[in-house]
Amino acid sequence: YYPRIDHDFLAAHSEGLICTSGCMSAEIPRALLKENPEEAVRRMNWYYDVFGKDRFFVELQHHNIKEITKLNKDLLALGARYEAQYVATNDVHFLSAEDFEAHEARVCIHDGRTLDDPRRAKRHSEQQYLRSPEDMQVLFADLPEALENSVEIARRCNLELTFGEN
């Protein structure tokens, strides 16, 4: 099961939302990874049409994943066509670096595999933990506006959670 919201629903409820292009599994990055730039442009156009330049941000991530360096270059090149705003993000799947092995064990349990199974899925990086601001500053030293935009998005969000209620 992969959670999804279709484009019609998203467009109908987009008022007040800030949207990002997503991780490597999202539709724009996936189109670039499949070397389908026309599809990436078509998707990018849709997000800019719905959210506008002030509410759509292109995500950049740094993980120990082979394809991500080229993907970031492609996202930067594609974003230049739109004068895009970039945001530094980290695809978090576990809280700390020390939790990677436990996370991998959980994935194996879910998939009915063992850690020593050569056929087991290895779709995560040991770097997909909640990084500190200092770590993110080092990773994105060459693109400080992406870090600034992560703070700007946080400033623009107004969310109150009431615990103990649905």
Side-chain angles (χ1 to χ4, degrees):
Y1 169 72
Y2 294 96
R4 288 181 173 76
I5 296 177
D6 67 42
H7 284 178
D8 292 337
F9 185 87
L10 187 56
H13 298 87
S14 66
E15 185 177 335
L17 294 180
I18 296 169
C19 183
T20 67
S21 61
C23 69
M24 290 177 64
S25 297
E27 57 191 348
I28 294 168
R30 224 176 30 240
L32 291 170
L33 288 167
K34 291 181 179 177
E35 298 185 16
N36 188 347
E38 297 82 14
E39 178 65 10
V41 166
R42 189 175 76 73
R43 299 291 184 165
M44 193 86 122
N45 288 340
W46 186 88
Y47 283 98
Y48 275 106
D49 288 345
V50 171
F51 292 96
K53 187 176 189 285
D54 63 323
R55 294 188 299 127
F56 181 69
F57 293 80
V58 175
E59 281 194 41
L60 301 172
Q61 300 180 346
H62 288 293
H63 297 295
N64 187 20
I65 298 173
K66 178 176 66 169
E67 300 86 1
I68 209 153
T69 301
K70 181 181 182 314
L71 176 60
N72 282 343
K73 288 177 185 175
D74 291 346
L75 287 166
L76 287 165
L78 180 59
R81 297 174 57 163
Y82 299 87
E83 297 179 6
Q85 297 186 86
Y86 300 97
V87 61
T89 67
N90 200 66
D91 194 6
V92 176
H93 287 265
F94 40 93
L95 189 57
S96 67
E98 294 78 28
D99 296 332
F100 176 67
E101 190 172 337
H103 175 266
E104 289 295 280
R106 185 200 61 78
V107 170
C108 285
I109 292 167
H110 174 269
D111 293 346
R113 304 273 183 197
T114 61
L115 287 169
D116 60 354
D117 186 338
R119 297 172 300 150
R120 77 177 178 93
K122 294 181 182 176
R123 55 185 172 260
H124 298 97
S125 162
E126 69 280 354
Q127 298 172 347
Q128 289 178 297
Y129 63 93
L130 185 60
R131 293 181 190 248
S132 70
E134 295 79 18
D135 289 345
M136 294 297 282
Q137 287 173 342
V138 169
L139 289 171
F140 290 94
D142 60 332
L143 204 60
E145 63 270 22
L147 291 167
E148 293 163 12
N149 282 333
S150 67
V151 173
E152 177 57 27
I153 290 170
R155 283 191 186 121
R156 290 168 52 186
C157 291
N158 180 18
L159 173 68
E160 293 182 24
L161 297 174
T162 304
F163 293 98
E165 295 180 18
N166 291 334

